[in-house]
Amino acid sequence: MKNILLFFIILCLASPLNAKITASVNRSVITEGQSIELRITSDVKKDGSPNFNILSDNFVLGGQSSLQNTSIINGKMETRYSAGINLIPFKTGDIIIPALTWDGEKTQPLTLIVNPASTKANDTDLFIQSEISPQTVYEGQEVIYTVSIFDRSGLTDGNFIPPSLKNAEVQEIQDLPLTTVQKNGKSYHKFSRQYVLFPQEPGTFSIEPASFRGHVFQEKQKTSNDVFSSFGLDPSIIYSNLSSQQKEVYVRSTPLTLTVKERPSFMSGKWWLPSTKVSMEETFTPAQNEVKAGEAITRTIVVRARGVLGTKIPDLTMTDTPSFKVYPGQSKKENYVDDKGLIGIMEQSFILVPIQNGEMRINPLSISWFNVKTNTEVQSSVPGKTFKIFGSEASSSPQNISVPPEDTTSDSSLFKKEPSLYSQENNWLFFIAGASLGFFFSLLLFFIFIILIHPHRHLKKKKHIANLYPEHKTQKKDF
């Protein structure tokens, strides 16, 4: 008897020592962009979590989870502990998932096969295409990158992953309207998104392509020996709301080649502004040609450049003259997108203060830019204007001139405060408010006197009502 007891004690002590952890994946062959679940399982409870950080070189690390599963088999209760993580591989081919450590124990390595994502239409229900325009540009010139998803499988959601180009600015500009197109005799829904690329150095480059990750509906397969059929039930009723499930999809477009040329050496301007069109407009406030001495003049100039970011449009400058002094006004740069692409807009103003009577000449302003269509240097300009200053001798001091501040409006300042009621002009409001409060408190005191001081009169009235309507019995209510 002692030998049997000793055997069981040794067995119980030895089980944790011989316990092993194992690693497994929910699928060992996937398509580029798809995710897998890696799960590590142990027969005994472990402290902490497995060291998943060593996987970050080859995978995007997703959400982690833990699970405890208890089962009874042949009267014996078993508990298994597991920890899992979602992974998305960075590359295609055979990827080794190395041995992982959990509370001092190691798993065995695993091999994952990642196949390239589909890039061709063929007979698939979901594919992707991309294009650039133009394919040859100057450094700093706009490149429109359009990526399109063709779907007939029923996308439920998804996101585009933008293209990338070394030493280039990449920005999303717009989503194109949803259309229906015919491809290989089939009808597809076409979703398109446009990006703008600005390469910053000459050479021939391969653009890392855009991709798309999302989900589509996939019909569930029903087995012939369905468990519900064995009970005489119609499986279609049971599966009416469970007939489909989401399937993860990932498609990647093909790389595109871009040729970038150096800026021409003949450009004499101090700015490099490659564009297809640059326009300038100016307005003056006041608009009339004659201005009274001491009255400031605001000159506002708007520059529009197609295929250029607003931040790339150079600032204009004005200097003092014997006739007037110059003070900076508001300046604003922004972008606008139309059906042809990007338009950068700069709006800049100057405050001009006349300092002497007579003729005041405001000179033209111009911008040099490079026309990428004609390969020529172009000047865009505004003509300026001549004002006649009249009245008393103008002062060179701008003490009475209000110069608008820079456009630095914050969100909190959008809520404008109303003029204060505590001003001398609004003293009559205090009289009305005081009279109203006095009247209100007088009514309040009157009702308190009626209810509290004369309660018997109130009760008599209730008894009188009860006598008139004997069927209305007074019922005690619990609160």
Side-chain angles (χ1 to χ4, degrees), residues 264-328:
S265 58
F266 60 78
M267 287 293 296
S268 60
K270 61 180 179 179
W271 301 301
W272 170 243
L273 198 64
S275 176
T276 57
K277 183 180 180 180
V278 176
S279 64
M280 296 180 66
E281 300 174 357
E282 69 177 349
T283 56
F284 291 91
T285 305
Q288 61 269 22
N289 295 332
E290 294 186 356
V291 177
K292 187 177 180 180
E295 182 177 358
I297 300 170
T298 302
R299 184 187 195 182
T300 302
I301 299 174
V302 178
V303 181
R304 293 180 176 86
R306 181 167 289 280
V308 177
L309 289 172
T311 54
K312 299 297 182 181
I313 300 176
D315 293 326
L316 302 172
T317 58
M318 288 187 67
T319 57
D320 297 342
T321 72
S323 301
F324 59 87
K325 285 188 172 292
V326 180
Y327 298 90

Side-chain angles (χ1 to χ4, degrees), residues 359-433:
E359 190 176 86
M360 173 179 164
R361 174 61 184 167
I362 300 177
N363 294 326
L365 284 178
S366 62
I367 287 180
S368 297
W369 58 282
F370 181 73
N371 191 321
V372 296
K373 287 186 176 180
T374 60
N375 295 325
T376 57
E377 184 178 9
V378 183
Q379 292 273 346
S380 294
S381 61
V382 288
K385 192 174 182 179
T386 299
F387 288 87
K388 183 179 180 180
I389 308 302
F390 67 94
S392 60
E393 189 69 21
S395 172
S396 61
S397 176
Q399 295 178 359
N400 298 325
I401 303 301
S402 177
V403 180
E406 290 293 322
D407 186 14
T408 56
T409 304
S410 63
D411 291 341
S412 59
S413 64
L414 294 178
F415 299 95
K416 303 297 182 182
K417 293 184 178 180
E418 295 295 332
S420 175
L421 294 177
Y422 301 98
S423 59
Q424 294 181 356
E425 293 82 358
N426 294 321
N427 285 337
W428 58 274
L429 290 175
F430 287 99
F431 175 77
I432 295 178

